[in-house]
Amino acid sequence: MRTTEATRSSGSSSFTAVFKVIARALSVGIRPVWFVMEAGLNGYERWRQALMRLDDHLLKDIGVSRADVDSEVSKPFWRG
């Protein structure tokens, strides 16, 4: 089967598109990405600390036991 110009250009254009996306991401820099990651991790930590501070009667009101809270806050953030 012969390779046509259309076939060759579609393969190289997808590579070019990916290259342009990578180049754009590198030109923007890592700082915005870091700020988003840091904000997410800080939010997770605040949620974790607030959950640990709840009294037993408040946990009972929402139907969660202290053991459930302990197992939830001991999980790494990526396990959700």
Side-chain angles (χ1 to χ4, degrees), residues 24-37:
R24 175 71 179 143
L26 292 175
S27 71
V28 169
I30 195 73
R31 184 169 286 165
V33 174
W34 178 253
F35 286 147
V36 169
M37 288 175 53

Side-chain angles (χ1 to χ4, degrees), residues 33-70:
V33 174
W34 178 253
F35 286 147
V36 169
M37 288 175 53
E38 187 177 28
L41 290 173
N42 287 340
Y44 174 76
E45 185 62 27
R46 283 193 306 272
W47 167 81
R48 196 175 139 288
Q49 289 176 0
L51 190 59
M52 289 183 344
R53 282 193 303 258
L54 291 177
D55 293 334
D56 288 336
H57 75 279
L58 291 174
L59 292 175
K60 185 178 177 185
D61 284 347
I62 62 173
V64 178
S65 69
R66 180 59 60 188
D68 293 336
V69 170
D70 291 339

